[in-house]
Every structure is written in structure tokens, then in C-alpha cells.
Amino acid sequence: MKLPELKIGHLVAKLPIVQGGMAIRISMAPLAAAVANEGGIGLIAATGLTEEELRSEIREARRLTKGIIGINCLFAARDFAKLVQAAIDEGIDLVVSGAGFSRDMFQWGKESGTPIVPIVSSARLAKLAQKLGAAAVVVEGKEAGGHLGTDESMKKIVPEVVAAVDIPVIAAGGIIDGHDIVDAFKMGVSGVQMGTRFAASEESGAAPEFRELYLRSTHDDVVLIDSPVGLPGRGLKNSFWNKLNSDADNTPKRCNGCLKHCSKSFCIVEALNHAQQGNMESGLVFSGEHVERIKEILPVRVIVENLLREIEAYS
Amino acid sequence: MSSIFEKVKAIVVEQLGVDEEEVNMETSFEDLNADSLDIVELVMALEEEFDIEIPDEDAEKIKTVGAAVDYIKENQ
């Protein structure tokens, strides 16, 4: 099959693939720009960055590509409004947001002409998003990495959302290769979002140790953790995961109140930062469910070439 | 003219599908088994009924029927 263009508001992506926003500092300017240069949509993960860092990352991405660059921001972050407004001020092409539901962001999008794309996990929320003015929705199933809004499979939720809304639907969760993409398009989606495959790219912001864990992990290494955000999160077994499941006291020694609500069972920002930097003793490595199918760290250009070849061969 | 409480009560009953007897000023939406999406829809219905805008930050603080009534009184 030939993949159609992905239209979100006034934006047209030649390649209907969105690179999922991966915090903290996994999807930064180099990764987002590389995906945008292939004709897809690159997302800078804003969560966990300062406003200045986000602004400079957006400018760096603009220097590296003329393609479509968006941000992803966690609604549960205390700085959510500040970060999204800073990105809009920098002229970001679109805003993707999950882990809670903001109504204000639709107003900011309307005022600035920025397409707003919420991540949803049910037809009910997708309908509400459409009513509020969403330009598209990302439908994320349980197979996704990081914070999850559902325990249901992407393949169950996507057809329900496609039937419920008129705006473009982007499928996310467990999409690794060209077969997965064709299967998603057969369900009537307009695009797909892929995170894990791009976290294991040369342009990813993750440390070598992080990416090596991806290549080493088997299906049994993929686990759910209780994130202090108040949602389950999908990640990989490592030393830190063992520590979380022991009697050790992991409560934060310092706290700057970065989340609107936090259980303080451990500091998720510190754990994600450490993973990104390669410290597996104290780092939490988020990953999608099908990580074991990734065999190689590749440049984004080659990842996209492989996907297109697989799509052609499969259909 | 019905009071703000009576109007809020009617919206809560309709949106959450609960009995009128369950709703008084002290009732929290959690007690009525409302999930986060129910609350978003409820807040939107209140905005429409009372012609006000409730930003995210304020909406997050409205956890009881009484809090909703007070907010509407202060902002109408």
C-alpha cells in the first residue's frame, strides 16, 4: 500500500508517522528534526525541561529541519501551561498532550492557530476532544511505553474511536514495523505514532546504556510500574526496577513540586533523568511492550526506509 | 427562580445519573463515583448553564457540590 499524507489542521505530513514525545530528553531536537526531515512529524518532549531549555530546543530543531515540529507535554506537570505557552510563542507547529485533560489548551490553540492533538484512550474522551476543538487525536493503547491511560489494547480502542469522531485518528502503542503500520491503516486511521522504535535510534537522546537495555530486553522484561503521577507506566526491568520492588525506601530526598499531584513513592523526574544519562542503578527506562522486536540501533533515515520497504512487501 | 444550588443539583443528577437525594452541598463528586472525564463534562455543563468560564486550575479545585455553588456565586 501507498501511505496517504497525514493532515492535521493546516499541516500536511508526507509521511503519516508521528514520532512520539519521550520525556525526559529522549526526544529532543536531533530526533524530532530527523523524523521531520523524512516527512513525518517530530515531537520534542517538553516535560522535565525548563522553559528556556524548551525554547532553545525548538530553535535548534528549526535550524535542523524545515519539516513539522511539535511538542508533547504531560498535563500532570505543574509547568504544563508555561511550557505549552512558551512553545506556542516560539511558533511550534502542533501541541500533543496526555496524562490528564486540559481544556485551556484548546483555547490557546484557537487563539494562536496551533493544532491541538490530545492523547486519548477511549472513544468517549476522543468525542469530548473533538467537541473542544482537537485537530486530531492520538489513540494510545496499553502496548505503549511510559504513562498509560488504559489497560485495553490499541486494536480494540482504535476502531471505536474511528467510528466516534470525524477528525484524524493516529494509532499508538506497540507499533514497531511496517506490518504494524499497515494493520493500523486497515482499521481506518490517518496516521501512526511510534515512540520505542525511535528511542532506539542514533538520533535519540538516550544514553548508550539505555539503548543497550532495549536491545537486550525480552518480552518478559517489560513491566508495569506505579508512577507517582498516579498512572501506571510501562518500562523495563533493571536494577532500579528491582529496587522499586524491594523494601528499600525510595521516597525523594529533595522535591521541587514538579507535578500537580505526586504520591512521592519515588522521584520520577530523577529516575527518568538518570535513565537518560545511562545510570541503570537509579534510572527508570520506559519502553513499549514490543521492544524485543528491535534488534538494532539505526539512524532515523534507515528506520523509515525499512518501514517503507516492509509496508510495500506486506501489502 | 430556583437557587444556584438547585440548578447545580439538576446538572449533577443529569450528568452523573444519580438520585436527587444523594446530592447536597457537602457531597463530593468522588462520593458519586465520578471519574475525571465525568468531572470535565460536568464542569462544561456548569459553564454553559451559568455562562461562565472555569479554567483548568480552578476546575481542579472544585471537588464538591458546595465548592461548585460557591465558585459560581463568586464568578457570575
Side-chain angles (χ1 to χ4, degrees), chain A residues 55-253:
Chain A
R55 284 180 185 272
S56 94
E57 223 39 54
I58 293 170
R59 288 174 198 173
E60 173 65 5
R62 292 294 190 208
R63 198 180 62 75
L64 296 171
T65 184
K66 291 190 163 51
I68 304 173
I69 296 289
I71 61 152
N72 173 300
C73 194
L74 187 83
F75 176 64
R78 191 169 301 280
D79 284 345
F80 173 80
K82 201 168 84 179
L83 291 171
V84 173
Q85 283 168 342
I88 288 175
D89 184 49
E90 290 290 328
I92 201 75
D93 293 319
L94 75 161
V95 173
V96 178
S97 171
F101 199 75
S102 164
R103 291 181 308 129
D104 290 357
M105 69 174 173
F106 294 101
Q107 193 56 39
W108 307 332
K110 240 172 253 167
E111 286 162 7
S112 60
T114 313
I116 302 293
V117 181
I119 301 174
V120 304
S121 291
S122 68
R124 191 173 155 224
L125 186 51
K127 267 201 243 176
L128 183 61
Q130 172 172 273
K131 191 171 156 196
L132 286 166
V137 286
V138 173
V139 180
E140 204 175 87
K142 70 161 179 69
E143 298 87 349
H147 291 111
L148 299 174
T150 183
D151 56 7
E152 293 196 288
S153 165
M154 180 268 278
K155 288 186 175 163
K156 176 173 182 297
I157 313 166
V158 162
E160 295 169 3
V161 174
V162 167
V165 298
D166 304 317
I167 50 179
V169 174
I170 299 159
I175 298 176
I176 301 287
D177 62 23
H179 292 206
D180 302 328
I181 294 176
V182 173
D183 288 345
F185 272 88
K186 282 182 182 161
M187 290 190 285
V189 301
S190 303
V192 295
Q193 176 178 287
M194 300 171 67
T196 302
R197 178 59 268 194
F198 289 121
S201 70
E202 279 181 8
E203 292 88 343
S204 153
E209 294 85 352
F210 182 116
R211 288 181 273 187
E212 277 157 26
L213 186 67
Y214 265 33
L215 297 185
R216 253 201 339 267
S217 292
T218 65
H219 189 72
D220 294 336
D221 294 320
V222 182
V223 288
L224 287 176
I225 57 127
D226 282 325
S227 165
V229 169
L231 294 167
R234 190 174 297 289
L236 296 176
K237 280 183 193 169
N238 65 353
S239 314
F240 181 68
W241 184 79
N242 291 332
K243 221 184 292 175
L244 282 182
N245 285 280
S246 70
D247 298 332
D249 175 18
N250 298 300
T251 51
K253 305 286 172 282

Side-chain angles (χ1 to χ4, degrees), chain B residues 3-68:
Chain B
S3 70
I4 290 177
F5 169 69
E6 290 300 328
K7 284 185 186 170
V8 170
K9 184 160 106 174
I11 289 171
V12 170
V13 166
E14 193 197 323
Q15 288 285 329
L16 302 181
V18 294
D19 288 333
E20 275 189 39
E21 299 77 58
E22 289 180 76
V23 185
N24 57 55
M25 284 290 276
E26 282 75 43
T27 313
S28 79
F29 301 124
E30 206 181 336
D31 292 340
L32 299 174
N33 293 319
D35 64 18
S36 58
L37 205 47
D38 290 326
I39 292 173
V40 172
E41 288 174 334
L42 183 67
V43 167
M44 285 168 69
L46 293 174
E47 285 181 324
E48 199 168 323
E49 172 70 29
F50 296 99
D51 194 23
I52 52 171
E53 270 185 41
I54 311 178
D56 288 342
E57 209 175 304
D58 294 343
E60 282 164 27
K61 289 178 197 144
I62 301 175
K63 295 188 187 314
T64 63
V65 174

